[in-house]
Amino acid sequence: MGTDIKKPYQDMVLIDFYERFPDEQACWNYFLSLKWPNGFICPSCSSTKGCFKPSRQLFECYSCRHQASLTANTIFHKTRTPLSKWFWFIFFMATSKKGVSMLYLQQQLKIASYKTAWSMGHKIRPGMAVRDALYELHGVVEADEIFIGGKQTLAERRQHGTNKTPFFMAVQEDEKGGPTFVTFEEIEGIYESQILPAIEKHIKKGSKIISDGEGSYVGSAARGYDHDRYVESQDPELAHEKLQWINMLTSNLKRFLLSTHHGVYPKYRKKYLAEFAYRFNRRYWPEQIFDRLLYACIHADPVTLRELKT
């Protein structure tokens, strides 16, 4: 069977995906076509002359005799999980509109342990973040800061401080005023010194920024942006209307974190926000979302379990 898809992934039932990747060999062949579309390239000396040794499942370079597996220098490096399960894992993470829990994927895909499923998810999310980091919002952009974290009692806050993580959030609008892209940036605080660098990192100069009454955004006008400010205490309905997509997506995001993942630890929050943004930003290209994410994972740097936990 060829690799072309006749209908979008979001409209596919599970059997359609299975028919495209029915076994480990089909996954291996497709992986190979994405990693080396023009043929083998030695990761050591960049030579294109080499051969495949089926007995060891390794490629050997004729020039330097370096041997490399297909998954070397990817997030799949030294994995003991079959590629077919990785493909299903990526498919579900990319296409599930409300996200999917790692426990559910462990059970459904019969992955050996929850720790393995957890690490697979965390290896995939950086690939999502890297792709979105390449895009710069422009035009009309709603911007605000949000706080992600669980509930605490007053005594806990006094003893340990808040466990909430502040993020800068921006949503680009289309010509009709609908949401097109969302981005998040973890910040140390919500003051101008943290907000303005986040704006310059994610929003193109000359864009119009719509914010609430927070003074942190006022300085954006002096940095090459148009700025419309809506103070909620003066006109709450207008302020809510102008920041409607920020409010809607914040609600959806928190529902995703709580209902799907039952909350996340502070050091992993930015990765889960990257996952949320990745799916939202590609909702109009469902036929490409699996292939794009698989490609990103193949070309992402390998990461160890120890690195994930630090």
Side-chain angles (χ1 to χ4, degrees), residues 75-92:
I75 68 164
F76 311 91
H77 185 54
K78 294 185 178 180
T79 183
R80 296 180 180 178
T81 303
L83 283 180
S84 56
K85 293 189 177 183
W86 273 103
F87 273 42
W88 277 105
F89 207 104
I90 292 171
F91 171 76
F92 279 118

Side-chain angles (χ1 to χ4, degrees), residues 218-233:
V218 174
S220 63
R223 301 201 180 192
Y225 300 92
D226 290 334
H227 179 223
D228 286 350
R229 185 184 186 196
Y230 296 91
V231 182
E232 186 173 2
S233 60

Side-chain angles (χ1 to χ4, degrees), residues 42 44-47 49 60-67:
C42 177
S44 179
C45 70
S46 300
S47 171
K49 304 298 183 181
E60 182 175 299
C61 175
Y62 287 150
S63 298
C64 69
R65 298 301 178 183
H66 177 78
Q67 293 185 338

Side-chain angles (χ1 to χ4, degrees), residues 234-245:
Q234 296 178 358
D235 193 336
E237 290 187 5
L238 181 61
H240 182 78
E241 177 187 342
K242 293 298 182 179
L243 292 168
Q244 60 176 318
W245 304 123

Side-chain angles (χ1 to χ4, degrees), residues 231-270:
V231 182
E232 186 173 2
S233 60
Q234 296 178 358
D235 193 336
E237 290 187 5
L238 181 61
H240 182 78
E241 177 187 342
K242 293 298 182 179
L243 292 168
Q244 60 176 318
W245 304 123
I246 285 280
N247 296 326
M248 183 197 75
L249 288 178
T250 298
S251 177
N252 292 347
L253 169 64
K254 292 184 177 180
R255 191 179 304 117
F256 157 67
L257 295 175
L258 291 174
S259 64
T260 302
H261 297 291
H262 307 291
V264 296
Y265 289 107
K267 63 181 177 181
Y268 301 125
R269 285 169 183 163
K270 63 181 179 181

